[in-house]
Amino acid sequence: DAGVTQSPTHLIKTRGQQVTLRCSPKSGHDTVSWYQQALGQGPQFIFQYYEEEERQRGNFPDRFSGHQFPNYSSELNVNALLLGDSALYLCASSGGLRGMWNTEAFFGQGTRLTVV
Amino acid sequence: GIQVEQSPPDLILQEGANSTLRCNFSDSVNNLQWFHQNPWGQLINLFYIPSGTKQNGRLSATTVATERYSLLYISSSQTTDSGVYFCAVEPRDNYGQNFVFGPGTRLSVLP
């Protein structure tokens, strides 16, 4: 059983460019959440997708957007990259039991984004 | 919003020593998980423990939800235990929505 997989593992972009990160959830999970982790800090919640809709959003600007596909995989898009967007981006999957919320979350290995 | 504190922020141990990491949270939670982040950034699940006590090998955890804290015990520490330990909680008023992470405890186990 494959766990949560993210691609790419590393990425270097120039300020002002756009980037797309991808996540495939753990088998049987239907909910995907994205987190940003700056160096030396804990992960910060960006947004969560369930049934192809953004269910909740953290305190991040509209430059951060996402999408969930019918197979539950998800993308995180960041437009107009800033130097401060350099971070480890983590994807978590959970759920899979329709109507039940209390399920364990599992994280992917992350995508390390560097903006130069 | 909910506040999550972890202590100590840094911990240095000799191999074989025992340790206790603490997580305090300021409001009621639905879920609580402990993670170990390895040097490559991977968050490894240790415990899913909204309440009660669980054990897995040399590690155990206890969450007292009514008193809003959780403890992670590491016994007979090994150098491979080094890394950052995070506590993450799912606030009750964000039912099923997202995790709020603490700042982490950085553990270094010396040979």
Side-chain angles (χ1 to χ4, degrees):
Chain A
D1 174 27
V4 182
T5 58
Q6 293 186 241
S7 63
T9 55
H10 295 83
L11 203 52
I12 300 175
K13 288 287 190 178
T14 302
R15 191 172 47 184
Q17 285 188 315
Q18 179 265 344
V19 68
T20 297
L21 311 181
R22 295 176 175 84
C23 172
S24 292
K26 184 177 171 65
S27 178
H29 284 179
D30 58 9
T31 302
V32 173
S33 305
W34 287 92
Y35 292 79
Q36 180 195 66
Q37 186 178 20
L39 200 61
Q41 298 182 19
Q44 299 289 316
F45 174 71
I46 303 175
F47 43 54
Q48 183 182 75
Y49 277 85
Y50 171 70
E51 292 189 336
E52 303 179 49
E53 298 279 339
E54 183 183 290
R55 184 158 66 177
Q56 194 187 24
R57 188 180 185 90
N59 189 25
F60 279 79
D62 291 345
R63 298 187 297 108
F64 290 76
S65 63
H67 189 78
Q68 186 178 35
F69 299 94
N71 66 353
Y72 308 119
S73 67
S74 177
E75 289 182 348
L76 164 65
N77 301 292
V78 187
N79 294 322
L81 284 166
L82 304 174
L83 297 180
D85 295 332
S86 295
L88 179 68
Y89 288 85
L90 294 162
C91 167
S93 78
S94 60
L97 300 174
R98 187 172 290 277
M100 293 189 64
W101 301 106
N102 294 355
T103 63
E104 186 174 3
F106 292 83
F107 282 78
Q109 82 281 12
T111 294
R112 194 166 297 279
L113 173 65
T114 302
V115 182
V116 297
Chain B
I2 194 169
Q3 303 297 313
V4 182
E5 299 174 345
Q6 290 186 245
S7 59
D10 295 279
L11 187 59
I12 300 176
L13 300 174
Q14 280 305 128
E15 200 168 25
N18 302 329
S19 61
T20 301
L21 282 58
R22 186 176 181 102
C23 171
N24 292 332
F25 41 96
S26 61
D27 208 343
S28 300
V29 299
N30 290 320
N31 291 323
L32 186 147
Q33 287 188 234
W34 283 97
F35 297 93
H36 174 210
Q37 189 165 43
N38 66 22
W40 298 272
Q42 174 83 52
L43 280 171
I44 299 164
N45 288 39
L46 297 178
F47 293 102
Y48 168 67
I49 187 166
S51 64
T53 298
K54 291 186 177 180
Q55 180 153 9
N56 184 5
R58 296 180 295 104
L59 274 59
S60 64
T62 295
T63 297
V64 184
T66 53
E67 298 187 21
R68 300 180 183 169
Y69 73 89
S70 183
L71 302 174
L72 176 67
Y73 306 95
I74 305 174
S75 64
S76 304
S77 57
Q78 301 175 357
T79 56
T80 52
D81 295 331
S82 297
V84 183
Y85 289 79
F86 287 104
C87 163
V89 302
E90 182 184 301
R92 181 154 296 174
D93 63 0
N94 279 342
Y95 198 44
Q97 301 299 310
N98 70 86
F99 276 111
V100 177
F101 280 77
T105 291
R106 182 172 298 277
L107 175 64
S108 299
V109 181
L110 306 179

